[in-house]
Amino acid sequence: MIAYLERWLRIRVLRAELRDIDREEQQAKDVIANAWVRRQARVRELEALGAKP
């Protein structure tokens, strides 16, 4: 019975860790996407001013 509970608890912990990792991965993707959008805006602004990026 104890082995079953230990296994059950370990599965719950691992699943929670996977959810945390997935959340961190999504946050990293969001940061990259936001940086790309900001960069593109600066490039367009430079081009509008006639300068090379």
Short mmCIF file of all heavy atoms in Angstrom, two decimals:
data_model
loop_
_atom_site.label_atom_id
_atom_site.label_comp_id
_atom_site.label_asym_id
_atom_site.label_seq_id
_atom_site.Cartn_x
_atom_site.Cartn_y
_atom_site.Cartn_z
N MET A 1 0.83 -1.20 0.00
CA MET A 1 0.00 0.00 0.00
C MET A 1 0.86 1.26 0.00
O MET A 1 0.58 2.19 -0.71
CB MET A 1 -0.92 -0.04 1.23
CG MET A 1 -1.82 1.15 1.33
SD MET A 1 -3.07 1.11 0.05
CE MET A 1 -4.09 2.43 0.54
N ILE A 2 1.92 1.26 0.80
CA ILE A 2 2.79 2.44 0.86
C ILE A 2 3.48 2.65 -0.49
O ILE A 2 3.60 3.78 -0.96
CB ILE A 2 3.82 2.31 2.01
CG1 ILE A 2 3.08 2.43 3.34
CG2 ILE A 2 4.89 3.37 1.89
CD1 ILE A 2 3.94 2.31 4.55
N ALA A 3 3.92 1.56 -1.13
CA ALA A 3 4.57 1.68 -2.43
C ALA A 3 3.61 2.30 -3.44
O ALA A 3 4.00 3.12 -4.27
CB ALA A 3 5.05 0.33 -2.92
N TYR A 4 2.35 1.91 -3.38
CA TYR A 4 1.34 2.47 -4.28
C TYR A 4 1.20 3.97 -4.06
O TYR A 4 1.17 4.76 -5.02
CB TYR A 4 0.00 1.76 -4.07
CG TYR A 4 -1.13 2.44 -4.81
CD1 TYR A 4 -1.33 2.21 -6.16
CD2 TYR A 4 -1.99 3.31 -4.15
CE1 TYR A 4 -2.36 2.84 -6.84
CE2 TYR A 4 -3.01 3.95 -4.82
CZ TYR A 4 -3.19 3.71 -6.17
OH TYR A 4 -4.21 4.35 -6.84
N LEU A 5 1.12 4.39 -2.81
CA LEU A 5 0.98 5.81 -2.49
C LEU A 5 2.22 6.60 -2.90
O LEU A 5 2.11 7.73 -3.40
CB LEU A 5 0.69 6.00 -1.00
CG LEU A 5 -0.67 5.51 -0.52
CD1 LEU A 5 -0.77 5.63 0.99
CD2 LEU A 5 -1.79 6.26 -1.21
N GLU A 6 3.39 6.01 -2.69
CA GLU A 6 4.63 6.68 -3.11
C GLU A 6 4.66 6.86 -4.62
O GLU A 6 5.04 7.91 -5.12
CB GLU A 6 5.84 5.89 -2.64
CG GLU A 6 6.09 5.98 -1.16
CD GLU A 6 7.22 5.08 -0.68
OE1 GLU A 6 7.63 4.17 -1.45
OE2 GLU A 6 7.70 5.30 0.44
N ARG A 7 4.26 5.82 -5.34
CA ARG A 7 4.21 5.90 -6.81
C ARG A 7 3.21 6.96 -7.25
O ARG A 7 3.49 7.78 -8.11
CB ARG A 7 3.82 4.53 -7.37
CG ARG A 7 3.74 4.51 -8.88
CD ARG A 7 3.31 3.12 -9.38
NE ARG A 7 3.09 3.11 -10.81
CZ ARG A 7 1.95 3.48 -11.40
NH1 ARG A 7 0.92 3.86 -10.68
NH2 ARG A 7 1.84 3.46 -12.72
N TRP A 8 2.02 6.95 -6.63
CA TRP A 8 0.98 7.91 -6.97
C TRP A 8 1.46 9.35 -6.72
O TRP A 8 1.28 10.23 -7.57
CB TRP A 8 -0.27 7.61 -6.13
CG TRP A 8 -1.38 8.58 -6.34
CD1 TRP A 8 -2.32 8.56 -7.33
CD2 TRP A 8 -1.68 9.72 -5.53
NE1 TRP A 8 -3.17 9.63 -7.19
CE2 TRP A 8 -2.81 10.35 -6.09
CE3 TRP A 8 -1.10 10.27 -4.39
CZ2 TRP A 8 -3.36 11.51 -5.55
CZ3 TRP A 8 -1.66 11.42 -3.85
CH2 TRP A 8 -2.77 12.02 -4.43
N LEU A 9 2.10 9.56 -5.59
CA LEU A 9 2.61 10.88 -5.25
C LEU A 9 3.70 11.31 -6.22
O LEU A 9 3.73 12.46 -6.68
CB LEU A 9 3.14 10.90 -3.82
CG LEU A 9 3.67 12.24 -3.32
CD1 LEU A 9 2.59 13.31 -3.39
CD2 LEU A 9 4.20 12.10 -1.90
N ARG A 10 4.61 10.38 -6.56
CA ARG A 10 5.70 10.71 -7.50
C ARG A 10 5.13 11.09 -8.86
O ARG A 10 5.61 12.03 -9.49
CB ARG A 10 6.65 9.51 -7.62
CG ARG A 10 7.85 9.79 -8.47
CD ARG A 10 8.73 10.85 -7.83
NE ARG A 10 9.85 11.17 -8.71
CZ ARG A 10 10.39 12.36 -8.81
NH1 ARG A 10 9.96 13.36 -8.06
NH2 ARG A 10 11.37 12.57 -9.63
N ILE A 11 4.10 10.38 -9.31
CA ILE A 11 3.46 10.72 -10.59
C ILE A 11 2.87 12.12 -10.53
O ILE A 11 3.03 12.91 -11.46
CB ILE A 11 2.38 9.66 -10.94
CG1 ILE A 11 3.05 8.34 -11.33
CG2 ILE A 11 1.48 10.16 -12.07
CD1 ILE A 11 2.09 7.17 -11.45
N ARG A 12 2.22 12.44 -9.44
CA ARG A 12 1.62 13.79 -9.29
C ARG A 12 2.70 14.87 -9.31
O ARG A 12 2.54 15.90 -9.95
CB ARG A 12 0.84 13.87 -7.97
CG ARG A 12 -0.28 12.88 -7.85
CD ARG A 12 -1.62 13.40 -8.04
NE ARG A 12 -1.79 14.72 -7.46
CZ ARG A 12 -2.92 15.39 -7.56
NH1 ARG A 12 -3.94 14.86 -8.15
NH2 ARG A 12 -3.02 16.59 -7.04
N VAL A 13 3.80 14.63 -8.61
CA VAL A 13 4.89 15.60 -8.56
C VAL A 13 5.49 15.79 -9.95
O VAL A 13 5.72 16.92 -10.40
CB VAL A 13 5.97 15.16 -7.55
CG1 VAL A 13 7.24 15.98 -7.71
CG2 VAL A 13 5.43 15.27 -6.13
N LEU A 14 5.75 14.69 -10.66
CA LEU A 14 6.33 14.78 -12.00
C LEU A 14 5.40 15.51 -12.97
O LEU A 14 5.86 16.32 -13.78
CB LEU A 14 6.67 13.39 -12.53
CG LEU A 14 7.85 12.70 -11.85
CD1 LEU A 14 7.94 11.25 -12.31
CD2 LEU A 14 9.14 13.45 -12.11
N ARG A 15 4.12 15.24 -12.89
CA ARG A 15 3.16 15.94 -13.76
C ARG A 15 3.13 17.44 -13.45
O ARG A 15 3.06 18.26 -14.35
CB ARG A 15 1.77 15.32 -13.62
CG ARG A 15 1.68 13.99 -14.32
CD ARG A 15 0.30 13.41 -14.20
NE ARG A 15 0.19 12.16 -14.94
CZ ARG A 15 -0.69 11.22 -14.66
NH1 ARG A 15 -1.54 11.37 -13.67
NH2 ARG A 15 -0.72 10.12 -15.39
N ALA A 16 3.20 17.79 -12.18
CA ALA A 16 3.23 19.20 -11.79
C ALA A 16 4.50 19.87 -12.32
O ALA A 16 4.45 21.00 -12.81
CB ALA A 16 3.14 19.34 -10.28
N GLU A 17 5.62 19.17 -12.23
CA GLU A 17 6.88 19.71 -12.75
C GLU A 17 6.80 19.91 -14.26
O GLU A 17 7.28 20.92 -14.78
CB GLU A 17 8.04 18.81 -12.38
CG GLU A 17 8.40 18.86 -10.91
CD GLU A 17 9.51 17.89 -10.52
OE1 GLU A 17 10.02 17.16 -11.39
OE2 GLU A 17 9.87 17.87 -9.34
N LEU A 18 6.17 18.97 -14.96
CA LEU A 18 6.01 19.12 -16.41
C LEU A 18 5.15 20.33 -16.74
O LEU A 18 5.43 21.06 -17.69
CB LEU A 18 5.40 17.85 -17.02
CG LEU A 18 6.34 16.68 -17.19
CD1 LEU A 18 5.58 15.46 -17.70
CD2 LEU A 18 7.48 17.03 -18.12
N ARG A 19 4.09 20.55 -15.97
CA ARG A 19 3.25 21.74 -16.20
C ARG A 19 4.06 23.02 -16.00
O ARG A 19 3.95 23.97 -16.77
CB ARG A 19 2.04 21.72 -15.27
CG ARG A 19 0.94 20.81 -15.74
CD ARG A 19 -0.36 21.04 -14.96
NE ARG A 19 -0.20 20.86 -13.53
CZ ARG A 19 -0.32 19.69 -12.90
NH1 ARG A 19 -0.58 18.59 -13.58
NH2 ARG A 19 -0.19 19.62 -11.59
N ASP A 20 4.90 23.04 -14.95
CA ASP A 20 5.74 24.20 -14.69
C ASP A 20 6.72 24.43 -15.84
O ASP A 20 6.92 25.57 -16.28
CB ASP A 20 6.53 24.04 -13.39
CG ASP A 20 5.65 24.11 -12.16
OD1 ASP A 20 4.48 24.57 -12.28
OD2 ASP A 20 6.12 23.70 -11.08
N ILE A 21 7.31 23.35 -16.33
CA ILE A 21 8.25 23.47 -17.45
C ILE A 21 7.54 23.97 -18.69
O ILE A 21 8.05 24.85 -19.41
CB ILE A 21 8.94 22.11 -17.71
CG1 ILE A 21 9.88 21.78 -16.54
CG2 ILE A 21 9.69 22.11 -19.04
CD1 ILE A 21 10.36 20.33 -16.54
N ASP A 22 6.36 23.45 -18.96
CA ASP A 22 5.59 23.91 -20.12
C ASP A 22 5.27 25.40 -20.00
O ASP A 22 5.34 26.15 -20.99
CB ASP A 22 4.30 23.11 -20.26
CG ASP A 22 4.52 21.68 -20.71
OD1 ASP A 22 5.64 21.37 -21.20
OD2 ASP A 22 3.59 20.86 -20.57
N ARG A 23 4.92 25.83 -18.80
CA ARG A 23 4.61 27.25 -18.57
C ARG A 23 5.86 28.11 -18.80
O ARG A 23 5.79 29.16 -19.45
CB ARG A 23 4.09 27.44 -17.15
CG ARG A 23 3.50 28.80 -16.87
CD ARG A 23 2.86 28.88 -15.49
NE ARG A 23 1.90 27.80 -15.25
CZ ARG A 23 2.06 26.85 -14.31
NH1 ARG A 23 3.10 26.85 -13.52
NH2 ARG A 23 1.14 25.92 -14.15
N GLU A 24 7.00 27.67 -18.30
CA GLU A 24 8.26 28.39 -18.50
C GLU A 24 8.61 28.46 -19.98
O GLU A 24 9.07 29.50 -20.47
CB GLU A 24 9.40 27.73 -17.75
CG GLU A 24 9.31 27.87 -16.25
CD GLU A 24 10.36 27.04 -15.53
OE1 GLU A 24 11.27 26.49 -16.19
OE2 GLU A 24 10.29 26.93 -14.29
N GLU A 25 8.41 27.37 -20.69
CA GLU A 25 8.70 27.33 -22.12
C GLU A 25 7.82 28.33 -22.87
O GLU A 25 8.29 29.06 -23.74
CB GLU A 25 8.48 25.92 -22.66
CG GLU A 25 8.81 25.78 -24.13
CD GLU A 25 8.56 24.37 -24.64
OE1 GLU A 25 7.88 23.58 -23.98
OE2 GLU A 25 9.06 24.08 -25.74
N GLN A 26 6.53 28.38 -22.52
CA GLN A 26 5.63 29.32 -23.18
C GLN A 26 6.03 30.76 -22.87
O GLN A 26 5.99 31.62 -23.75
CB GLN A 26 4.18 29.06 -22.76
CG GLN A 26 3.19 29.91 -23.52
CD GLN A 26 3.28 29.71 -25.02
OE1 GLN A 26 3.24 28.59 -25.50
NE2 GLN A 26 3.42 30.78 -25.78
N GLN A 27 6.44 31.02 -21.64
CA GLN A 27 6.88 32.37 -21.28
C GLN A 27 8.11 32.76 -22.08
O GLN A 27 8.23 33.90 -22.54
CB GLN A 27 7.15 32.47 -19.79
CG GLN A 27 5.90 32.42 -18.94
CD GLN A 27 6.20 32.31 -17.45
OE1 GLN A 27 7.32 32.03 -17.03
NE2 GLN A 27 5.17 32.50 -16.63
N ALA A 28 9.03 31.83 -22.26
CA ALA A 28 10.24 32.11 -23.05
C ALA A 28 9.86 32.41 -24.51
O ALA A 28 10.41 33.33 -25.12
CB ALA A 28 11.20 30.94 -22.98
N LYS A 29 8.94 31.64 -25.05
CA LYS A 29 8.48 31.88 -26.42
C LYS A 29 7.84 33.26 -26.53
O LYS A 29 8.04 33.97 -27.53
CB LYS A 29 7.49 30.80 -26.85
CG LYS A 29 8.14 29.46 -27.11
CD LYS A 29 7.09 28.42 -27.48
CE LYS A 29 7.71 27.06 -27.71
NZ LYS A 29 6.68 26.04 -27.98
N ASP A 30 7.06 33.64 -25.52
CA ASP A 30 6.42 34.96 -25.53
C ASP A 30 7.46 36.07 -25.49
O ASP A 30 7.33 37.09 -26.18
CB ASP A 30 5.46 35.11 -24.35
CG ASP A 30 4.24 34.20 -24.46
OD1 ASP A 30 3.98 33.66 -25.56
OD2 ASP A 30 3.55 34.01 -23.44
N VAL A 31 8.50 35.90 -24.69
CA VAL A 31 9.57 36.91 -24.60
C VAL A 31 10.25 37.06 -25.96
O VAL A 31 10.49 38.18 -26.43
CB VAL A 31 10.59 36.53 -23.51
CG1 VAL A 31 11.85 37.36 -23.62
CG2 VAL A 31 9.97 36.67 -22.13
N ILE A 32 10.55 35.95 -26.60
CA ILE A 32 11.20 35.99 -27.91
C ILE A 32 10.29 36.67 -28.92
O ILE A 32 10.73 37.52 -29.71
CB ILE A 32 11.59 34.57 -28.37
CG1 ILE A 32 12.72 34.04 -27.48
CG2 ILE A 32 11.99 34.56 -29.84
CD1 ILE A 32 12.99 32.56 -27.65
N ALA A 33 9.01 36.32 -28.92
CA ALA A 33 8.07 36.92 -29.86
C ALA A 33 7.96 38.43 -29.63
O ALA A 33 7.96 39.22 -30.58
CB ALA A 33 6.70 36.27 -29.73
N ASN A 34 7.90 38.84 -28.37
CA ASN A 34 7.82 40.27 -28.06
C ASN A 34 9.07 41.01 -28.50
O ASN A 34 9.00 42.11 -29.03
CB ASN A 34 7.58 40.49 -26.57
CG ASN A 34 6.19 40.06 -26.15
OD1 ASN A 34 5.27 39.97 -26.96
ND2 ASN A 34 6.01 39.78 -24.87
N ALA A 35 10.23 40.40 -28.30
CA ALA A 35 11.48 41.02 -28.72
C ALA A 35 11.51 41.16 -30.24
O ALA A 35 11.95 42.18 -30.77
CB ALA A 35 12.68 40.21 -28.23
N TRP A 36 11.05 40.14 -30.95
CA TRP A 36 11.03 40.19 -32.41
C TRP A 36 10.12 41.32 -32.90
O TRP A 36 10.49 42.07 -33.80
CB TRP A 36 10.57 38.84 -32.98
CG TRP A 36 10.67 38.79 -34.46
CD1 TRP A 36 11.76 38.47 -35.20
CD2 TRP A 36 9.63 39.08 -35.40
NE1 TRP A 36 11.46 38.54 -36.53
CE2 TRP A 36 10.16 38.92 -36.69
CE3 TRP A 36 8.30 39.47 -35.25
CZ2 TRP A 36 9.41 39.13 -37.83
CZ3 TRP A 36 7.55 39.68 -36.40
CH2 TRP A 36 8.10 39.51 -37.67
N VAL A 37 8.96 41.46 -32.28
CA VAL A 37 8.02 42.52 -32.66
C VAL A 37 8.65 43.89 -32.41
O VAL A 37 8.56 44.79 -33.26
CB VAL A 37 6.68 42.36 -31.90
CG1 VAL A 37 5.81 43.60 -32.05
CG2 VAL A 37 5.95 41.12 -32.38
N ARG A 38 9.28 44.06 -31.25
CA ARG A 38 9.93 45.34 -30.95
C ARG A 38 11.05 45.63 -31.94
O ARG A 38 11.21 46.76 -32.41
CB ARG A 38 10.49 45.34 -29.51
CG ARG A 38 9.42 45.40 -28.46
CD ARG A 38 9.95 45.69 -27.05
NE ARG A 38 11.32 45.37 -26.79
CZ ARG A 38 11.75 44.25 -26.20
NH1 ARG A 38 10.90 43.32 -25.84
NH2 ARG A 38 13.03 44.05 -25.98
N ARG A 39 11.83 44.62 -32.27
CA ARG A 39 12.93 44.78 -33.22
C ARG A 39 12.40 45.20 -34.59
O ARG A 39 12.92 46.10 -35.22
CB ARG A 39 13.72 43.48 -33.33
CG ARG A 39 14.94 43.61 -34.23
CD ARG A 39 15.67 42.29 -34.40
NE ARG A 39 16.96 42.46 -35.03
CZ ARG A 39 17.14 42.79 -36.30
NH1 ARG A 39 16.11 43.00 -37.08
NH2 ARG A 39 18.36 42.94 -36.79
N GLN A 40 11.35 44.52 -35.04
CA GLN A 40 10.76 44.86 -36.35
C GLN A 40 10.26 46.30 -36.37
O GLN A 40 10.40 46.99 -37.37
CB GLN A 40 9.63 43.89 -36.69
CG GLN A 40 10.10 42.48 -36.99
CD GLN A 40 11.12 42.43 -38.10
OE1 GLN A 40 12.31 42.21 -37.87
NE2 GLN A 40 10.69 42.67 -39.31
N ALA A 41 9.69 46.75 -35.27
CA ALA A 41 9.20 48.13 -35.19
C ALA A 41 10.36 49.12 -35.32
O ALA A 41 10.25 50.14 -36.02
CB ALA A 41 8.46 48.36 -33.88
N ARG A 42 11.49 48.81 -34.67
CA ARG A 42 12.66 49.70 -34.77
C ARG A 42 13.24 49.69 -36.18
O ARG A 42 13.64 50.73 -36.70
CB ARG A 42 13.75 49.29 -33.77
CG ARG A 42 13.37 49.33 -32.31
CD ARG A 42 12.70 50.64 -31.89
NE ARG A 42 12.32 50.64 -30.50
CZ ARG A 42 11.15 50.21 -30.04
NH1 ARG A 42 10.25 49.72 -30.86
NH2 ARG A 42 10.86 50.28 -28.76
N VAL A 43 13.27 48.52 -36.80
CA VAL A 43 13.79 48.42 -38.17
C VAL A 43 12.91 49.25 -39.11
O VAL A 43 13.42 50.01 -39.93
CB VAL A 43 13.85 46.94 -38.62
CG1 VAL A 43 14.06 46.83 -40.13
CG2 VAL A 43 14.95 46.20 -37.87
N ARG A 44 11.60 49.11 -38.97
CA ARG A 44 10.68 49.89 -39.83
C ARG A 44 10.86 51.39 -39.60
O ARG A 44 10.82 52.18 -40.53
CB ARG A 44 9.24 49.48 -39.57
CG ARG A 44 8.86 48.17 -40.22
CD ARG A 44 7.36 47.94 -40.21
NE ARG A 44 6.80 47.90 -38.86
CZ ARG A 44 6.75 46.82 -38.10
NH1 ARG A 44 7.24 45.69 -38.53
NH2 ARG A 44 6.21 46.89 -36.91
N GLU A 45 11.05 51.77 -38.34
CA GLU A 45 11.23 53.20 -38.04
C GLU A 45 12.53 53.71 -38.66
O GLU A 45 12.55 54.81 -39.24
CB GLU A 45 11.24 53.39 -36.51
CG GLU A 45 11.23 54.87 -36.13
CD GLU A 45 11.08 55.06 -34.62
OE1 GLU A 45 10.79 54.09 -33.90
OE2 GLU A 45 11.28 56.22 -34.19
N LEU A 46 13.59 52.94 -38.55
CA LEU A 46 14.86 53.34 -39.18
C LEU A 46 14.69 53.44 -40.69
O LEU A 46 15.17 54.41 -41.30
CB LEU A 46 15.97 52.33 -38.84
CG LEU A 46 16.60 52.44 -37.47
CD1 LEU A 46 17.49 51.24 -37.19
CD2 LEU A 46 17.40 53.73 -37.36
N GLU A 47 14.04 52.49 -41.29
CA GLU A 47 13.84 52.52 -42.74
C GLU A 47 12.99 53.71 -43.13
O GLU A 47 13.23 54.35 -44.17
CB GLU A 47 13.19 51.21 -43.20
CG GLU A 47 14.13 50.03 -43.14
CD GLU A 47 13.46 48.70 -43.39
OE1 GLU A 47 12.21 48.63 -43.34
OE2 GLU A 47 14.20 47.73 -43.66
N ALA A 48 11.99 54.07 -42.33
CA ALA A 48 11.15 55.24 -42.62
C ALA A 48 11.97 56.52 -42.57
O ALA A 48 11.67 57.48 -43.27
CB ALA A 48 9.99 55.30 -41.62
N LEU A 49 13.01 56.52 -41.74
CA LEU A 49 13.89 57.68 -41.65
C LEU A 49 15.00 57.65 -42.70
O LEU A 49 15.84 58.56 -42.75
CB LEU A 49 14.51 57.77 -40.24
CG LEU A 49 13.52 58.04 -39.11
CD1 LEU A 49 14.19 57.87 -37.76
CD2 LEU A 49 12.90 59.42 -39.26
N GLY A 50 15.01 56.62 -43.52
CA GLY A 50 16.00 56.50 -44.58
C GLY A 50 17.33 55.96 -44.13
O GLY A 50 18.33 56.10 -44.84
N ALA A 51 17.37 55.33 -42.97
CA ALA A 51 18.64 54.77 -42.46
C ALA A 51 18.59 53.25 -42.57
O ALA A 51 17.53 52.64 -42.58
CB ALA A 51 18.83 55.17 -41.00
N LYS A 52 19.79 52.68 -42.63
CA LYS A 52 19.87 51.22 -42.66
C LYS A 52 19.77 50.69 -41.23
O LYS A 52 20.31 51.32 -40.30
CB LYS A 52 21.21 50.76 -43.25
CG LYS A 52 21.32 50.97 -44.73
CD LYS A 52 22.62 50.39 -45.22
CE LYS A 52 22.73 50.52 -46.73
NZ LYS A 52 23.96 49.91 -47.22
N PRO A 53 19.14 49.57 -41.06
CA PRO A 53 19.05 48.98 -39.71
C PRO A 53 20.40 48.44 -39.24
O PRO A 53 21.27 48.21 -39.99
CB PRO A 53 18.05 47.84 -39.85
CG PRO A 53 17.60 47.79 -41.25
CD PRO A 53 18.32 48.85 -42.01
#
